[in-house]
Amino acid sequence: MIEARRLHILRAVADHRTVTAAAAALYLTPSAVSQQLTALEQETGHRLVERGAKGVRLTAAGEILLSHTNAVLAQLERAEAELAAYDAGEAGTVTVASFATGIALVVAPAVTRLARTAPGIRLRVQDAEGDASLPMVLDRQVDVAVAVEYRGAPPADDPRLAHVPLYAEPFDAVVPAGHRLADAGEVPLAELAKDPWIGPYPGNPCHDVVVLACENAGFQPCLEHSSDDFRAVVALASAGAGVALVPRSALRGMDLAGVVVRPVDGPAPTRRVFAAVRRGAEGHPLIRPVLEALGEAAGA
């Protein structure tokens, strides 16, 4: 009989590529993870992982078991959801990880809506960038992620996750007030090819949006200044340090003295925001109202 908790460990090792990283994500010791993998290999009668200088990789047998693991764990999530529904689970805590603007736009309004529609549900919110929040869901550190599409992100049909689209928003060009394009109605990105750029660090989903937009315009941006805080990005642009692309919602309520904000000429760079939960958990009586409240906040 294969134990489900060992399947969680197998998937964590596959996701994180090292025993040490998987152990940290699961709040276990590396030796405990290794012991559980050994026990799983004994249960299945197959060698499931191979250790090398660059980490751990699954064997062919391990890949086969992993494909079933995703289905089994999703079904267990559904079983928990149905049992909770049976018990009329109308009270409890749901942990949500979201990037800062997502908290302001949809998570905080969802808290207000839930206080009215499902007062027994309490949200615990954590600030996390989109590329960090999805692994947190998979590792069961949080229940819901509000994340941004980015290159390398799990696709919408990923067997481990259920996606709920929330909203999409354009990026606007932010240039110093004295910039040569400050009077333009729209800013062609190609005209900024030789400017110094200010943008998020690699790994931040918004970094991918900026770089891809510039690549589509025919150039690689010269990112001379980096910050994941868009207030810092705008402050640097105001000081004449460079130009930037900033999500429109992040500019709300910000001090824009010293900069000019203009829409991009042509197809606007866009970030697409979605909520994600472990597949099978979307019907849980605590999580379903949270997803509905996030969707209503996004629609509003």
Side-chain angles (χ1 to χ4, degrees):
M1 179 70 71
I2 297 174
E3 290 193 20
R5 64 192 177 99
R6 290 174 181 152
L7 295 179
H8 279 293
I9 290 173
L10 178 70
R11 187 161 78 178
V13 169
D15 287 342
H16 294 280
R17 303 296 182 186
T18 70
V19 168
T20 300
L26 297 173
Y27 300 102
L28 297 172
T29 64
S31 61
V33 169
S34 295
Q35 290 170 6
Q36 292 299 320
L37 286 175
T38 298
L40 184 58
E41 289 179 330
Q42 292 172 348
E43 287 174 345
T44 60
H46 291 277
R47 187 179 182 187
L48 302 175
V49 298
E50 291 181 347
R51 293 172 173 79
K54 295 184 178 180
V56 176
R57 71 176 186 86
L58 298 188
T59 64
E63 293 287 355
I64 291 171
L65 183 57
L66 180 64
S67 68
H68 291 284
T69 291
N70 291 326
V72 168
L73 295 182
Q75 191 60 40
L76 286 174
E77 292 282 357
R78 294 186 188 98
E80 290 181 9
E82 290 188 18
L83 287 171
Y86 176 78
D87 289 335
E90 298 175 352
T93 299
V94 176
T95 305
V96 179
S98 172
F99 58 101
T101 309
I103 292 174
L105 279 184
V106 296
V107 178
V111 171
T112 301
R113 290 171 185 270
L114 288 168
R116 183 180 69 253
T117 61
I121 297 177
R122 173 175 174 263
L123 288 193
R124 180 180 293 131
V125 182
Q126 298 183 21
D127 189 337
E129 291 298 337
D131 58 324
S133 61
L134 295 177
M136 291 169 73
V137 169
L138 291 171
D139 293 335
R140 305 181 73 84
Q141 297 172 10
V142 301
D143 302 304
V144 182
V146 175
V148 179
E149 289 183 4
Y150 60 95
R151 285 188 284 192
D157 61 353
D158 189 292
R160 302 168 298 171
L161 294 168
H163 284 220
V164 178
L166 294 178
Y167 65 92
E169 65 170 323
F171 281 58
D172 288 325
V174 178
V175 301
H179 193 273
R180 63 187 183 280
L181 296 177
D183 293 330
E186 296 180 334
V187 173
L189 285 185
E191 296 295 321
L192 302 176
K194 295 184 179 180
D195 285 81
W197 279 73
I198 313 158
Y201 284 101
N204 185 316
C206 289
H207 174 89
D208 287 345
V209 175
V210 171
V211 171
L212 184 59
C214 293
E215 289 175 352
N216 290 338
F219 69 98
Q220 284 282 341
C222 177
L223 284 163
E224 290 196 2
H225 311 283
S226 297
S227 175
D228 288 335
D229 186 334
F230 286 117
R231 289 170 299 179
V233 170
V234 170
L236 286 169
S238 178
V243 300
L245 288 173
V246 177
R248 187 167 292 171
S249 64
L251 295 168
R252 295 177 185 171
M254 195 180 293
D255 181 5
L256 299 177
V259 298
V260 172
V261 178
R262 293 288 184 266
V264 172
D265 184 18
T270 302
R271 70 172 172 183
R272 292 174 173 80
V273 179
F274 61 94
V277 299
R278 291 180 295 277
R279 190 170 291 275
E282 61 271 27
H284 192 286
L286 293 180
I287 292 177
R288 184 180 63 253
V290 174
L291 295 176
E292 291 172 352
L294 291 170
E296 291 172 2

